[in-house]
Amino acid sequence: MNYGIPHLSKNGKIVTLGLSGGSEVGPDIYCLAEQLQMKYQMKFILTILSRVEITPRSLWIQYMADTINMYSLGENTVSCNEVFESYQNEDISFVYSYTLSAINNKCYGRDFTVIECDDKSQPLTQWWIS
């Protein structure tokens, strides 16, 4: 975002896709997105696509351990417990997938929208922060 935003034309848009650790309250990327919006005074949209709870026996932990072990080629293998402890040490209890969009419309003040697609009680829930 920091490299691309200065090159946007009027009404130009950057869309990123990523993963973020976080808690039950929300993803850590939220704070970064809020800082970017204040810095650039543009419209920002954070869309939470999904969240996965991190537990010692979650598939996420198993997949991470399997991936680490596959790329280590038999050297320095890790257990699921070690991977889980790493997430705990960083205070990560959920992993979120998201998109973050910046739109160069030169708004003034706060124009930051969060859309959560993972809310099971609603088909689509939106929050506007002003």
Side-chain angles (χ1 to χ4, degrees), residues 25-93:
V25 174
D28 294 341
I29 189 69
Y30 177 88
C31 293
L32 176 61
E34 199 171 41
Q35 290 169 2
L36 288 169
Q37 195 283 323
M38 295 303 287
K39 178 179 178 180
Y40 292 109
Q41 298 292 299
M42 295 180 179
K43 180 177 182 64
F44 275 76
I45 302 169
L46 175 62
T47 304
I48 308 301
L49 302 171
S50 68
R51 75 178 189 168
V52 175
E53 186 172 9
I54 302 302
T55 64
R57 299 196 187 283
S58 67
L59 286 176
W60 181 269
I61 292 296
Q62 182 167 346
Y63 294 157
M64 291 297 104
D66 289 347
T67 300
I68 293 166
N69 291 332
M70 180 180 70
Y71 283 102
S72 71
L73 302 174
E75 304 171 15
N76 305 323
T77 60
V78 298
S79 69
C80 289
N81 286 338
E82 289 173 301
V83 174
F84 177 71
E85 287 173 10
S86 295
Y87 279 91
Q88 278 190 314
N89 291 339
E90 296 296 322
D91 292 323
I92 295 172
S93 54

